[in-house]
């Protein structure tokens, strides 16, 4: 299940505010201040620390089966997407990644697979990464890349069609669109230029969201 994306952004507070307006809850804030990483988790809010010049490494926000994270960057950059999988699926995916010549970084909490498209793929097995696996969902991400072949690679890696990811050509790699279910059906644009669309109820054909539903 596609559940996650991560961005680097100079618009950290604005990004948090945008997703709060969509009903996401902040579950974690970790930032670097005076050379040390410190937690600024709720119930703290921005008025409590805005003037401290914190460089946030990660802010995590959740709603239903969706997890969005972002941290401070000098410019907007897309870092990775995440799939929630079983441990058995994770091991099979890693075998296929090795066969495809992709790099793998794994630790106790999560696994990352490098791609030739400028972003990574996270494999997450811990159910607490989301609030609920049956709640609102991240239905689709549209990723623009200057290199062809992302969709076939994902199909090989996951051993199934991956309609959750659509691609388009662009001079630079970036996420252009995210589609959620279970929220007010209004198109928005987040502070990083990512178009956020919602559909409710979900209608699809062979796993692909119909254009008329957006």
């Amino acid at each position: 299940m596609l559940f996650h994306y991560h961005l680097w952004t100079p618009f950290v507070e604005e990004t948090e505010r945008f997703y709060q307006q969509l009903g996401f809850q902040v579950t974690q804030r970790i930032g670097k201040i005076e050379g040390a990483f410190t937690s600024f988790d709720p119930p703290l809010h921005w008025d409590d620390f805005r003037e401290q010049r914190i460089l946030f490494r990660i802010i995590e926000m959740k709603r239903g089966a969706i997890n969005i994270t972002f941290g401070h960057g000098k410019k907007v950059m897309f870092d990775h997407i995440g799939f929630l999988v079983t441990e058995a699926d994770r091991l099979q995916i890693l075998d296929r990644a090795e066969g495809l010549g992709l790099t793998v970084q794994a630790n106790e909490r999560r696994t990352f697979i490098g791609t030739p498209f400028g972003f990574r793929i996270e494999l997450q097995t811990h159910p607490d990464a989301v609030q609920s696996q049956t709640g609102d969902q991240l239905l689709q991400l549209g990723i623009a890349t200057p290199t062809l072949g992302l969709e076939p690679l994902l199909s090989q890696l996951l051993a199934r069609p991956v309609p959750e990811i659509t691609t388009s050509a662009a001079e630079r790699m970036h996420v252009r669109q995210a589609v959620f279910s279970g929220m007010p059906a209004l198109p928005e644009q987040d502070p990083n230029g990512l178009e956020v669309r919602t559909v409710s109820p979900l209608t699809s054909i062979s796993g692909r969201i119909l254009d008329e539903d957006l």
Side-chain angles (χ1 to χ4, degrees):
M1 178 180 72
L2 179 68
F3 81 104
H4 171 67
Y5 57 88
H6 179 92
L7 301 166
W8 301 107
T9 175
F11 312 113
V12 177
E13 181 179 0
E14 296 91 338
T15 300
E16 179 181 310
R17 185 183 307 118
F18 174 86
Y19 286 101
Q20 279 182 325
Q21 292 171 348
L22 290 180
F24 285 81
Q25 296 180 345
V26 176
T27 55
Q28 179 180 214
R29 295 191 196 97
I30 296 176
K32 193 171 188 179
I33 182 170
E34 297 180 355
F37 285 105
T38 304
S39 172
F40 298 88
D41 296 349
L44 293 179
H45 51 75
W46 279 82
D47 288 342
D48 297 317
F49 51 73
R50 183 182 291 107
E51 305 304 323
Q52 297 185 50
R53 296 187 177 181
I54 303 160
L55 291 179
F56 278 101
R57 177 65 179 176
I58 185 170
I59 294 179
E60 179 184 58
M61 304 187 74
K62 298 178 182 178
R63 173 170 174 158
I66 309 167
N67 177 309
I68 297 170
T69 56
F70 47 94
H72 180 267
K74 293 182 179 179
K75 61 180 181 179
V76 175
M77 292 182 62
F78 172 51
D79 189 87
H80 66 269
I81 61 175
F83 290 90
L84 194 60
V85 298
T86 66
E87 177 59 18
D89 286 340
R90 187 186 75 91
L91 294 176
Q92 292 176 1
I93 293 169
L94 291 183
D95 284 343
R96 291 191 287 269
E98 183 178 348
L100 292 168
L102 303 177
T103 60
V104 174
Q105 296 175 308
N107 59 35
E108 183 177 324
R109 181 67 189 177
R110 54 188 179 169
T111 299
F112 285 104
I113 299 172
T115 77
F117 300 96
F119 69 93
R120 301 178 296 163
I121 299 168
E122 175 187 347
L123 303 179
Q124 177 60 258
T125 60
H126 292 78
D128 64 355
V130 294
Q131 291 178 329
S132 168
Q133 294 190 37
T134 59
D136 303 332
Q137 294 185 359
L138 174 55
L139 300 176
Q140 200 170 78
L141 281 177
I143 301 176
T145 72
T147 307
L148 299 176
L150 172 57
E151 291 186 50
L153 178 75
L154 289 174
S155 294
Q156 287 180 278
L157 187 63
L158 300 182
R160 65 171 177 83
V162 188
E164 307 98 294
I165 302 297
T166 63
T167 61
S168 59
E171 293 184 357
R172 64 177 183 86
M173 188 277 297
H174 64 281
V175 179
R176 58 180 180 79
Q177 184 183 93
V179 182
F180 301 144
S181 71
M183 303 178 202
L186 296 173
E188 299 278 355
Q189 189 175 77
D190 83 358
N192 311 291
L194 191 157
E195 184 181 0
V196 174
R197 296 189 177 188
T198 62
V199 294
S200 182
L202 170 64
T203 306
S204 64
I205 293 178
S206 300
R208 285 198 177 270
I209 300 163
L210 296 175
D211 290 341
E212 58 262 33
D213 294 326
L214 299 180

